[in-house]
Amino acid sequence: MIAAPEIPTEFSYTQDTDTRFSSDTDFSEDPDGRSANSTKGKGGKKGKKAAGEKGKGGKGAGRLNGHHQENGMENMMLFEVVKLGRSAMQSVVDDWIESYKHDRDVALLDLINFFIQCSGCKGVVSGEMFRNMQNSEIIRRMTEEFDEDSGDYPLTIAGPQWKKFKSSFCEFISVLVRQCQYSIIYDEYMMDTVISLLTGLSDSQVRAFRHTSTLAAMKLMTALVNVALNLSINMDNTQRQYEAERNKAVPKRANDRLELLLQKRKELQENQDEIENMMNAIFKGVFVHRYRDSIAEIRAICIEEIGVWMKLYSDAFLNDSYLKYVGWTMHDKQGEVRLKCLTALQGLYYNRELNARLELFTSRFKDRIVSMTLDKEYDVAVQAIKLLTLVLNSTDEVLTPEDCESVYHLVYSAHRPVAIAAGEFLFKKYIIIFPFFHPHLLLDEPLPGEEALTDRQETALIEIMLCTVRQAAECHPPVGRGTGKRVMTAKEKKTQLDDRTRMTELFAVALPPLLAKYAVDAEKVTNLLQLPQFFDLEIYTTGRLEKHLESLLRQIREIVEKHTDTEVLEACSKTYHALCNEEFTIFNRVDIARSQLLDELVDKFNRLLEDFLQEGEDADEDDAYQVLSTLKRITAFHNAHDLSGWDLFTSNFKLLNTGIENGDMPEQIVIHSLQCTHYVILWHLAKLSEGSSRKDDLVTLRKQMRAFCMMCQRYLTNVNTAVKEQAFTILCDLLLIFSHQMVSGGREHLEPLVYSPEDSLQSELLSFILNHVFIDQDDDTNSTDGQQDDEAVKIEALHKRRNLLAAYCKLIIYCVVEMKTGADIFKQYMRYYNDYGDIIKETMSKTRQIDKIQCAKTLILSLQQLFNEMLSELGHGFDRSSSAFCGIKELARRFSLTFGLDQVKTRDAIAMLHKDGIEFAFKDPSPQGEGGPPLNLAFLDILSEFSSKLMRQDKRTVHMYLERFMTFQMALQREDCWLPLISYRNSLQAGGDDDTMSVMSGYSSRGSSIRSKKTKPPAATAGTSAAKRKLPEEESSSSSEVWQQTMQTPVMMPSPHLTSTAIRDPKRGRDDSYMGVYPIPHDQQQPHQHPHSQVTWMLAQRQQEEARQQQERAMNYAKLRTNLQHAIRRGTGLMEEDEEPIVEDVMMSSEGRMDDLNEGMDFDTMDIDLPPSKNRRERSELKPDYFDPASIMDESVSSISTLRFV
C-alpha cells in the first residue's frame, strides 16, 4: 500500500471530479444487499493464524488486547478503558493495532467482545465460538445470556460514570478507522468481520444490541466516508501530477515517474472501490432498515449521520437517492427525529454551492418544512424557521408570499425562541426597511435615483419607531410571553437606561422637525406625540437641549390650534402631562407654556359661549363649530390636567341647562359639555380625597354633583341617542363613585357626599337598558351603505351596547341599585346569549357572592316576569309545548346549573327560590272558577328544574310547604291541566323516601309529634353507644339557620341512632300556634279537613301498641299545650314559645340530652348516614344571619317542629 499523508477529517472545499461510488437509487429491501457480508470475512481467512487458547475471552485478563501494557493500565479490557475515558483514545487504538499485528484473531475477538459488552450483555464470545459459529449463532447465544433484570444498558444508563461513555465509544470507532485507513482496513478480514457482526446485531430484537450496533455502524460509516474523501483527494492530486508530467516535452518527461503515478492511481482506485463496497454494505445492511426503527433514538442516529455524510462527501451522497430518506423522516411522529432532519438540512443549505443539487428536494418537501414552523415541539418549530431563513438566503424565488406570511405572524409567538427566529426571517426578507429606522431618513429628501417613501410606508415606519421606542424604554415582554412580574437584573437595568438616554438624545432633536413636517396628518402626529412619554427628561438639561424643548412646545401648541380630532388632542394633553413633571428642572418652563395655552382656550370658550347663548336660535353653524372645537380642546386637556382654577362648571352647566330648555343644542356640544362637567366633578373630588377638606368645599361639591346628576337624568329623555348614551354612562360612573363605598379606606370625612339613587332614577336607568341595549341588530339605525362597512358599524354598535350593559351591571354588583332590578337583565340571558351572555353570567356570579338568597329571589323573579309576559301574550290556556314556555323552562335549567354542585352552600337560596315559586304558582285563583287549577299553576313545571338542587331533607320540607297550598281534592286530580303540580310533587319526592320516612298525601295527612317532659332515665337506651359519636361540624354552620325556626333538617342532627317516624293522630285539630316551614298567607289558609291520612308504610305494624302510645303522649302534651295542628313530626317534639329551640339543645347536648329527647317515644327506627362534615373554611363562609327566618315566616307563628332523622 502507498502511505498517503494523514489528512484531517473535515474539509471546507468540494472536489469537482466524479466518483465511482454507487448508491442504490431505489433502495429496495434486497435480501442480497443485507447478507452481502454475512460471514466473518471468509475471503481473508485464507491467511488466518491458529488462534489457540489465547483467543478465548477469559485468558487475557492480565493483558489488554493480548499483551501487557506499558502505560500502567493492566488487567483492563477495551470496554473498561472506553468506559473510564481517562486515557487518550489514540494510544488505546495504537495498542490494539499492535495486538492485531501480533495475533489478529485474538485482537479481533477482543473487539467483538467490546461491542457485546458495550451493549450491556454480560456474555463473552470465546475463541471456540469465534472459530466454529456463524454470527447469527453467536448473537443468539449472547441474547440468551443477556441480563433481563434491567432495561438499561451503557448508552442509556444515567449517572456520572456513564456520562461520557457515548462520546468515548464514538471516538474509539472514529480513531480506530482513521489509524487503520492505510493498511488494516484493506486486509479483507477485520472490516468484513466487524461489518458482518454489526449488521447482525442491528437486526436483533434486543433493543440494547440494536441501538448500540446501529450507533457503531453509523459512526463506522462516517469514518469510512472520511477515508473515501481522503482517497478521492489523493486520486485527484495523483491525476493532476500524472497529467502535468505527461504534458512535458519528451526530453524532459520522466517515464519512471509516470509509471509510479499510474501505479499509485491504480492502488488508490482499488482502495476506493474497497471502501465503497464497505459503505454499500453498511448502508444497505443497517441504515435502510434502521432509519425506520421503532425506537426514536435509533431513527435519530441514522438521520443525523446521513446528514453528516451528505455534508462531508457531497459528490457521492448529495443526491435525491439519499435526500429522500431525510424528506420522508420529516413526517416522523417523534419531535426528536424531526429535529435531526432539520439540523441535517441546515448544514446543507448553509453552503450555497450545494443549492443547485437541492432544487428538486426543495420543491418536493418545501410545504412540509413550512408546516413544521407550527410544530407542537417548539424546538422543531425554531429549527424549521431557521431552515427557511437559509432557504431564503439561497434564493428569493423558492418561498412564495403565502409561505412567508405563515412565518411573519410567528413574531407574536408567546415562545421567545420561536419569535426570535421569526424575527430573523423577517429581517432577512425585508432588510431594506431597517436602515430607515433612523428618524433623519424621514426628514431628508431622497437622493437622485432613489424612490421616496409612500405615505403608507411613512405611516408604518413611524408606528414601528414608536413601538421600538416603547419597547426600549419599558422593557415589557410582548403580550402573552411574560410569565408574571419579572425583576430586572442590574445588567438589564443598565442597558435600559443607556438605551433610553440614546433614544432621548436622538429624538429630542429630531421630533420637532418631524412634527412640523407631518403637522396636518392626524395619524402620524398622534404616534409622534407619544414619543416624549418615554424620554429621559433630564437629558434636556444635562445635554443642553433647551432650545429643542422650546421648539417641541411650539409645535405642540400649533398642533392643538390646528386639530380638533379627539385622539390628537388627547395625545397633546398626555405629552404636556409627561413633560410637566415636578422632579425635573424643565417643569417651570413647560408649566408656563401649558398655563398660557389653557388661559387662551378658556377665555375664548367663555367669550364664544356667551355670544352663542345670546344669539339663541339665530346662531349659525360657524358659531357652533367654534364653540365645539374650543370645548373639545378644553375637554381633552381636562382629562389629564386639573383645570379647577378656571371654574368650568358654571359655564358648562349653563350650556347644558339651556340645551334642556330650548331642545335645539347641537349633539356634539352637549356630549363634550357633559364630559367636561364630569371631569370637573372628578377633579374636585380628587382634591378633597387627598387631604383635609373644608366643610364649604364638601357642600359645594355635594350641590354640584347632585345638580349634575339631575341634569344627566333629564338628558336620558333626549331625542338624540348619542346624548342619552353619554348621559347614561356618566350617570352610572357618578353613582358608582359616590356610592356608600367611597367612605372606605379611611375616607369617612367624605360621607356627606354619598348619594343613593331614588326609585325614579333607578327605573329610568333600567328603562334605558331595556330600550337601548336589548334590541336586535336590525333595529339599529346607525348603518351605512356597503356590506363591509355595515358589518363594521354593527360590531362597533354592539361593542357600545356591551359597555352600556356592563356599566349598569356594575351598579347591581356594588349594590348601588336594588338587586331585584337585575331580574329584567337576567331574563334576557337566553335570548341575547351570543351578545351579552358573558356579562349577564358574571353579574349573576357576583350577585350570588354578595347575597345568595337575594340572588335566588331575583332569578325566580325574572322567570315570573317571563311567565306573566307569556300569559299576557298567549292567554291562560296556552300550550305547554309552545316555544315560549319551553324557552322559559330552558332558562330555568340554565339558572339551575349556575348554582353548582355544593348543595350545602346554596341550600338557603334554593329553599327561598322554591318558596317564592310555590307562592307565585298559587297566587291567583283559577280563571275557570272553583275547582279549576290556579292561574299560574304551570309555573311549577318551570320550578321543577330547581328540584335537583334541593337536599334530600329539604325536598320533604318543601313538599310539606307545597301541601299547605293544596286542598285534598287537588291531590286527587289527574287531568292534564294538573300535570305541572303532579310533576313538581314527583320531583320533590324523587330520592326523598330513601330513609323510610312516610309520605303523606293531601292536606289532611299531617300528624304531630310531642316533646316528652319526663326526667332522664338512669339507664342508657339502645342507641347510647352510637350517640357518643362526635357531632358533625357542619351542624353548627349557619347554612341551616333557615330551618332553626322552621322545620329542622337532618344536617342539624347528630349521628347516633335516631328515630324516624310518622305519628298518626288524626283526631287532633290545629291552631295558630302551629309553625310550619313557611307561613301560610291568610288568604290561602284552607279549612280544616277531617283526617283520613294516607299512610304509605307501617299501617299494619304494631297498631294496638302505637294507639296506646299516642294516647299517653296526647295526655302528657295536653298539660303543656292544646289544639295541636296536624303535621308530620319525625323524631323530635314541638318547641314551645318560651323555650330555646330544640335544635340548639341537640347541637350542644351530650348523650343524656339525647336520651331525654327520645324518652317515652317507642318509634320504629333505622340508621341513616349523615352527610360528610364540612371543613372550617366552608363553615366560615356561611353567615349566621344570612337567612333571616322572620323575612319568610308569618309573625303569628311562634313555635317550631323539628325533624329528627339523619
Side-chain angles (χ1 to χ4, degrees):
M1 296 295 175
I2 299 176
E6 184 174 341
I7 301 177
T9 57
E10 298 283 344
F11 292 89
S12 59
Y13 57 89
T14 305
Q15 302 299 321
D16 298 330
T17 59
D18 296 333
T19 178
R20 296 175 59 246
F21 178 74
S22 62
S23 61
D24 191 358
T25 55
D26 56 359
F27 290 108
S28 61
E29 296 185 19
D30 186 5
D32 296 335
R34 186 171 180 175
S35 60
N37 293 296
S38 60
T39 61
K40 301 189 298 291
K42 292 182 179 180
K45 283 189 177 182
K46 57 186 178 181
K48 182 175 66 173
K49 297 180 181 180
E53 294 298 322
K54 63 181 177 181
K56 295 183 180 180
K59 295 291 185 180
R63 305 164 63 87
L64 175 60
N65 304 326
H67 66 284
H68 289 279
Q69 297 298 299
E70 298 178 356
N71 57 3
M73 299 185 62
E74 299 182 358
N75 301 324
M76 297 182 68
M77 295 182 294
L78 279 176
F79 174 72
E80 298 295 335
V81 176
V82 174
K83 174 183 175 182
L84 293 176
R86 298 173 183 173
S87 175
M89 205 59 65
Q90 181 86 23
S91 61
V92 175
V93 173
D94 289 342
D95 292 340
W96 184 87
I97 293 175
E98 290 297 327
S99 175
Y100 185 84
K101 291 178 180 179
H102 181 265
D103 192 332
R104 64 180 185 178
D105 285 340
V106 174
L108 197 57
L109 185 61
D110 286 343
L111 188 60
I112 291 174
N113 281 313
F114 168 73
F115 288 119
I116 296 297
Q117 289 176 309
C118 288
S119 300
C121 180
K122 295 182 179 180
V124 177
V125 181
S126 65
E128 183 180 356
M129 294 169 58
F130 177 67
R131 288 191 303 271
N132 302 324
M133 297 176 64
Q134 296 294 325
N135 282 336
S136 59
E137 297 174 351
I138 295 175
I139 295 172
R140 188 180 303 110
R141 179 73 62 84
M142 293 298 102
T143 301
E144 293 173 357
E145 298 182 10
F146 206 94
D147 183 15
E148 298 180 358
D149 296 338
S150 174
D152 292 333
Y153 48 95
L155 289 180
T156 60
I157 296 177
Q161 185 179 5
W162 303 95
K163 185 176 182 180
K164 297 183 179 180
F165 176 80
K166 181 178 180 180
S167 59
S168 299
F169 178 72
C170 297
E171 183 185 1
F172 173 79
I173 297 174
S174 177
V175 174
L176 177 63
V177 175
R178 188 176 71 234
Q179 294 301 106
C180 299
Q181 65 177 321
Y182 302 121
S183 59
I184 297 179
I185 62 174
Y186 304 111
D187 65 358
E188 298 183 352
Y189 182 60
M190 186 200 74
M191 292 301 297
D192 290 353
T193 303
V194 172
I195 292 174
S196 178
L197 175 68
L198 296 179
T199 302
L201 289 173
S202 68
D203 197 35
S204 173
Q205 293 183 355
V206 179
R207 172 176 176 171
F209 279 149
R210 204 165 66 250
H211 187 183
T212 306
S213 61
T214 301
L215 176 62
M218 294 299 99
K219 292 299 180 180
L220 183 63
M221 179 78 166
T222 302
L224 291 176
V225 169
N226 281 304
V227 174
L229 183 61
N230 293 342
L231 292 173
S232 176
I233 294 172
N234 290 332
M235 287 179 60
D236 292 341
N237 293 336
T238 304
Q239 182 67 27
R240 284 195 296 270
Q241 292 175 7
Y242 176 79
E243 295 294 338
E245 188 66 28
R246 191 180 63 175
N247 292 334
K248 292 181 181 180
V250 176
K252 297 182 180 181
R253 183 184 303 168
N255 293 327
D256 295 340
R257 179 174 174 76
L258 288 176
E259 292 179 2
L260 288 175
L261 290 173
L262 286 174
Q263 182 64 27
K264 181 179 178 180
R265 188 179 65 175
K266 182 180 179 181
E267 292 177 359
L268 290 173
Q269 185 62 53
E270 290 176 356
N271 293 343
Q272 182 80 1
D273 294 340
E274 186 71 18
I275 295 298
E276 289 176 357
N277 291 333
M278 298 176 191
M279 292 191 297
N280 274 324
I282 297 175
F283 191 85
K284 293 183 178 180
V286 180
F287 179 88
V288 171
H289 303 283
R290 300 280 70 81
Y291 90 96
R292 51 186 180 182
D293 193 276
S294 60
I295 305 302
E297 293 89 337
I298 299 177
R299 301 197 300 272
I301 290 172
C302 295
I303 297 302
E304 182 180 13
E305 294 305 316
I306 196 176
V308 175
W309 307 338
M310 290 186 289
K311 182 179 179 181
L312 288 178
Y313 200 179
S314 58
D315 290 340
F317 288 94
L318 190 55
N319 54 63
D320 298 327
S321 298
Y322 296 98
L323 284 169
K324 64 183 180 182
Y325 295 104
V326 181
W328 293 342
T329 316
M330 284 195 295
H331 296 272
D332 196 281
K333 294 182 179 180
Q334 296 297 323
E336 175 187 0
V337 183
R338 298 194 300 271
L339 186 63
K340 294 296 183 182
C341 294
L342 294 173
T343 53
L345 292 173
Q346 288 176 13
L348 302 177
Y349 281 98
Y350 184 79
N351 190 349
R352 293 193 177 186
E353 297 179 359
L354 306 179
N355 290 337
R357 305 181 187 181
L358 295 169
E359 289 182 358
L360 182 59
F361 175 84
T362 304
S363 62
R364 169 67 177 82
F365 293 100
K366 181 199 65 174
D367 294 340
R368 174 55 185 164
I369 298 174
V370 173
S371 66
M372 292 175 74
T373 59
L374 300 176
D375 197 280
K376 64 180 181 180
E377 301 288 343
Y378 286 126
D379 293 340
V380 177
V382 170
Q383 298 303 324
I385 298 172
K386 290 183 178 180
L387 179 58
L388 289 177
T389 304
L390 293 175
V391 174
L392 187 65
N393 289 337
S394 62
T395 175
D396 295 336
E397 300 176 357
V398 176
L399 299 178
T400 63
E402 291 77 11
D403 297 333
C404 296
E405 289 176 1
S406 64
V407 182
Y408 294 160
H409 75 278
L410 294 178
V411 298
Y412 302 108
S413 174
H415 192 257
R416 180 177 174 82
V418 173
I420 291 176
E424 293 175 353
F425 179 88
L426 186 64
F427 176 81
K428 296 294 183 181
K429 181 67 176 178
Y430 296 103
I431 194 171
I432 187 70
I433 293 181
F434 281 79
F436 293 136
F437 269 74
H438 198 286
H440 290 291
L441 296 176
L442 287 170
L443 298 172
D444 299 340
E445 295 295 330
L447 298 175
E450 292 184 350
E451 294 184 2
L453 293 175
T454 63
D455 181 72
R456 184 177 180 182
Q457 289 175 334
E458 290 178 341
T459 302
L461 182 56
I462 292 175
E463 187 173 355
I464 293 175
M465 288 170 53
L466 173 61
C467 295
T468 305
V469 170
R470 182 188 294 114
Q471 178 67 23
E474 298 180 347
C475 293
H476 290 166
V479 177
R481 187 178 300 165
T483 58
K485 191 173 183 181
R486 176 176 172 271
V487 179
M488 296 176 60
T489 62
K491 183 178 179 181
E492 290 174 341
K493 290 181 179 180
K494 184 178 183 304
T495 302
Q496 179 190 14
L497 294 176
D498 294 342
D499 291 343
R500 191 175 184 182
T501 300
R502 289 195 300 268
M503 177 263 296
T504 305
E505 292 174 349
L506 175 64
F507 283 97
V509 178
L511 183 57
L514 285 173
L515 291 174
K517 180 178 180 180
Y518 300 108
V520 296
D521 193 319
E523 185 177 3
K524 294 185 180 67
V525 166
T526 302
N527 288 328
L528 289 173
L529 285 171
Q530 297 181 46
L531 293 176
Q533 301 176 24
F534 310 102
F535 283 2
D536 182 3
L537 300 181
E538 193 66 27
I539 300 299
Y540 277 111
T541 304
T542 59
R544 298 183 178 181
L545 301 176
E546 291 86 353
K547 63 177 183 179
H548 297 288
L549 176 62
E550 294 290 345
S551 178
L552 175 62
L553 296 176
R554 286 195 303 270
Q555 292 298 328
I556 296 176
R557 182 187 180 95
E558 293 178 3
I559 291 172
V560 172
E561 294 173 352
K562 289 179 181 179
H563 287 271
T564 59
D565 187 80
T566 303
E567 293 183 357
V568 176
L569 295 175
E570 288 182 352
C572 294
S573 175
K574 292 179 181 179
T575 302
Y576 270 115
H577 183 268
L579 295 175
C580 288
N581 193 330
E582 297 181 0
E583 298 179 358
F584 300 99
T585 56
I586 65 172
F587 169 74
N588 292 331
R589 185 174 302 182
V590 179
D591 184 52
I592 292 173
R594 178 186 62 176
S595 299
Q596 292 176 351
L597 176 61
L598 292 176
D599 284 339
E600 294 181 6
L601 290 176
V602 174
D603 292 342
K604 181 179 180 181
F605 172 70
N606 291 330
R607 185 176 64 257
L608 292 173
L609 179 62
E610 184 177 359
D611 297 339
F612 179 75
L613 296 178
Q614 288 180 355
E615 293 178 1
E617 298 180 356
D618 298 333
D620 55 12
E621 294 182 359
D622 184 63
D623 295 336
Y625 176 79
Q626 292 293 331
V627 173
L628 176 60
S629 60
T630 307
L631 183 58
K632 276 186 174 183
R633 297 184 179 100
I634 294 175
T635 303
F637 272 85
H638 208 349
N639 186 13
H641 303 270
D642 183 9
L643 308 184
S644 302
W646 282 270
D647 190 21
L648 293 171
F649 181 85
T650 303
S651 55
N652 279 280
F653 193 83
K654 183 178 180 181
L655 187 151
L656 293 172
N657 192 42
T658 304
I660 289 291
E661 294 175 354
N662 299 336
D664 57 352
M665 189 67 65
E667 166 190 333
Q668 289 299 318
I669 292 180
V670 174
I671 291 176
H672 285 86
S673 182
L674 287 171
Q675 189 66 52
C676 185
T677 310
H678 181 50
Y679 291 148
V680 172
I681 299 293
L682 295 183
W683 276 108
H684 197 173
L685 176 62
K687 292 179 64 177
L688 294 179
S689 301
E690 290 177 356
S692 58
S693 56
R694 297 181 303 173
K695 184 177 180 181
D696 295 341
D697 294 335
L698 289 174
V699 172
T700 302
L701 178 58
R702 176 185 173 89
K703 292 181 179 179
Q704 291 180 352
M705 180 268 298
R706 292 179 178 267
F708 183 57
C709 288
M710 294 180 61
M711 183 67 68
C712 291
Q713 182 178 357
R714 296 173 66 184
Y715 269 104
L716 287 177
T717 58
N718 194 278
V719 294
N720 191 283
T721 302
V723 172
K724 289 189 289 187
E725 291 176 351
Q726 180 76 351
F728 176 85
T729 303
I730 293 176
L731 197 53
C732 289
D733 289 344
L734 288 176
L735 292 177
L736 190 61
I737 293 171
F738 289 91
S739 65
H740 60 279
Q741 299 186 16
M742 73 178 303
V743 299
S744 60
R747 294 177 294 184
E748 291 77 6
H749 63 283
L750 299 178
E751 187 175 358
L753 299 178
V754 175
Y755 176 62
S756 299
E758 299 177 353
D759 294 341
S760 59
L761 179 55
Q762 295 187 34
S763 177
E764 288 191 41
L765 292 174
L766 180 59
S767 299
F768 177 87
I769 287 294
L770 298 178
N771 297 330
H772 293 82
V773 173
F774 295 107
I775 58 176
D776 296 330
Q777 289 279 7
D778 297 337
D779 297 338
D780 192 358
T781 58
N782 297 327
S783 60
T784 58
D785 297 334
Q787 182 176 1
Q788 184 175 0
D789 294 341
D790 186 56
E791 288 297 326
V793 170
K794 286 183 178 180
I795 293 175
E796 181 65 25
L798 175 61
H799 181 68
K800 184 183 298 183
R801 292 197 298 271
R802 284 175 58 85
N803 289 336
L804 295 175
L805 179 60
Y808 183 78
C809 288
K810 284 191 291 185
L811 299 181
I812 299 176
I813 293 173
Y814 289 96
C815 302
V816 178
V817 298
E818 296 181 4
M819 191 179 295
K820 66 179 182 180
T821 60
D824 292 279
I825 307 297
F826 297 161
K827 70 181 181 182
Q828 310 289 346
Y829 181 65
M830 289 291 296
R831 181 178 179 184
Y832 295 95
Y833 181 81
N834 293 333
D835 295 341
Y836 318 116
D838 55 337
I839 300 176
I840 298 176
K841 187 175 182 180
E842 183 67 16
T843 304
M844 286 191 288
S845 175
K846 294 296 184 182
T847 54
R848 184 174 291 114
Q849 294 176 15
I850 298 171
D851 191 334
K852 294 183 178 66
I853 295 179
Q854 189 60 36
C855 176
K857 293 174 69 70
T858 304
L859 292 178
I860 200 66
L861 178 60
S862 64
L863 296 174
Q864 294 170 5
Q865 291 178 357
L866 288 174
F867 188 84
N868 288 331
E869 293 174 3
M870 182 193 65
L871 286 181
S872 61
E873 181 178 350
L874 302 180
H876 65 275
F878 66 92
D879 185 4
R880 291 200 307 276
S881 63
S882 62
S883 59
F885 184 81
C886 292
I888 301 175
K889 194 170 182 180
E890 174 63 18
L891 179 61
R893 187 185 71 84
R894 295 287 187 94
F895 286 168
S896 176
L897 294 176
T898 62
F899 282 94
L901 300 176
D902 194 339
Q903 293 180 324
V904 175
K905 288 185 177 181
T906 61
R907 181 181 184 185
D908 302 342
I910 293 294
M912 177 60 72
L913 186 145
H914 280 273
K915 170 186 175 295
D916 289 357
I918 293 173
E919 292 177 354
F920 175 78
F922 291 92
K923 178 181 179 181
D924 297 326
S926 173
Q928 302 174 1
E930 186 176 359
L935 178 63
N936 300 332
L937 187 66
F939 189 78
L940 294 178
D941 201 5
I942 299 172
L943 192 61
S944 63
E945 295 293 338
F946 299 92
S947 297
S948 61
K949 298 300 179 181
L950 284 168
M951 299 182 69
R952 179 191 302 174
Q953 53 269 32
D954 295 348
K955 285 185 178 181
R956 297 177 179 80
T957 307
V958 173
H959 184 269
M960 291 172 55
Y961 186 67
L962 173 66
E963 288 183 337
R964 298 177 64 181
F965 290 87
M966 296 170 51
T967 62
F968 181 73
Q969 290 77 12
M970 288 184 181
L972 302 178
Q973 298 294 335
R974 292 295 182 270
E975 289 82 0
D976 290 346
C977 58
W978 295 95
L979 287 180
L981 176 60
I982 297 173
S983 63
Y984 182 57
R985 292 183 67 198
N986 290 338
S987 68
L988 296 178
Q989 294 174 354
D993 54 356
D994 297 338
D995 56 355
T996 70
M997 172 182 176
S998 65
V999 179
M1000 301 295 184
S1001 300
Y1003 181 68
S1004 62
S1005 62
R1006 302 181 178 89
S1008 61
S1009 61
I1010 306 171
R1011 179 183 181 182
S1012 175
K1013 305 296 290 184
K1014 293 184 178 182
T1015 308
K1016 178 177 63 175
T1021 62
T1024 301
S1025 60
K1028 295 181 180 179
R1029 303 175 195 166
K1030 186 177 180 180
L1031 183 67
E1033 293 181 355
E1034 82 272 10
E1035 315 303 9
S1036 61
S1037 68
S1038 60
S1039 64
S1040 299
E1041 290 199 4
V1042 62
W1043 311 116
Q1044 290 184 11
Q1045 298 183 16
T1046 60
M1047 298 289 292
Q1048 300 302 312
T1049 60
V1051 294
M1052 304 188 70
M1053 292 292 105
S1055 60
H1057 290 284
L1058 303 182
T1059 57
S1060 174
T1061 181
I1063 302 176
R1064 305 168 187 82
D1065 191 2
K1067 297 182 179 182
R1068 295 195 180 278
R1070 61 183 177 88
D1071 60 6
D1072 293 339
S1073 64
Y1074 163 76
M1075 186 176 209
V1077 182
Y1078 303 105
I1080 303 178
H1082 295 290
D1083 57 345
Q1084 296 182 12
Q1085 293 186 0
Q1086 304 293 335
H1088 175 68
Q1089 302 291 331
H1090 190 274
H1092 292 288
S1093 302
Q1094 301 178 8
V1095 182
T1096 61
W1097 58 283
M1098 296 174 60
L1099 287 177
Q1101 299 181 5
R1102 304 173 62 185
Q1103 293 182 356
Q1104 295 180 355
E1105 181 68 15
E1106 184 176 335
R1108 184 186 63 78
Q1109 292 176 1
Q1110 289 179 353
Q1111 276 188 354
E1112 181 181 355
R1113 288 194 297 271
M1115 292 175 63
N1116 292 334
Y1117 187 76
K1119 299 176 182 179
L1120 304 175
R1121 201 175 186 90
T1122 58
N1123 300 328
L1124 292 176
Q1125 182 184 13
H1126 285 282
I1128 300 175
R1129 295 294 181 265
R1130 304 176 179 92
T1132 64
L1134 287 177
M1135 182 190 306
E1136 296 186 355
E1137 295 179 359
D1138 56 346
E1139 292 182 332
E1140 294 181 358
I1142 289 181
V1143 63
E1144 296 295 333
D1145 294 340
V1146 172
M1147 293 172 61
M1148 302 175 61
S1149 67
S1150 60
E1151 171 185 326
R1153 183 66 63 89
M1154 186 58 89
D1155 295 337
D1156 180 44
L1157 198 64
N1158 292 326
E1159 182 182 359
M1161 295 187 176
D1162 187 12
F1163 300 142
D1164 294 330
T1165 63
M1166 69 172 294
D1167 294 339
I1168 302 175
D1169 295 332
L1170 279 170
S1173 175
K1174 310 307 292 182
N1175 58 40
R1176 186 179 302 275
R1177 179 179 178 183
E1178 291 181 343
R1179 295 199 309 273
S1180 63
E1181 292 176 354
L1182 301 173
K1183 300 179 181 179
D1185 58 345
Y1186 211 51
F1187 188 24
D1188 185 7
S1191 63
I1192 62 172
M1193 299 300 166
D1194 189 73
E1195 295 179 357
S1196 62
V1197 180
S1198 60
S1199 63
I1200 184 169
S1201 174
T1202 59
L1203 294 172
R1204 207 158 59 81
F1205 61 93
V1206 186

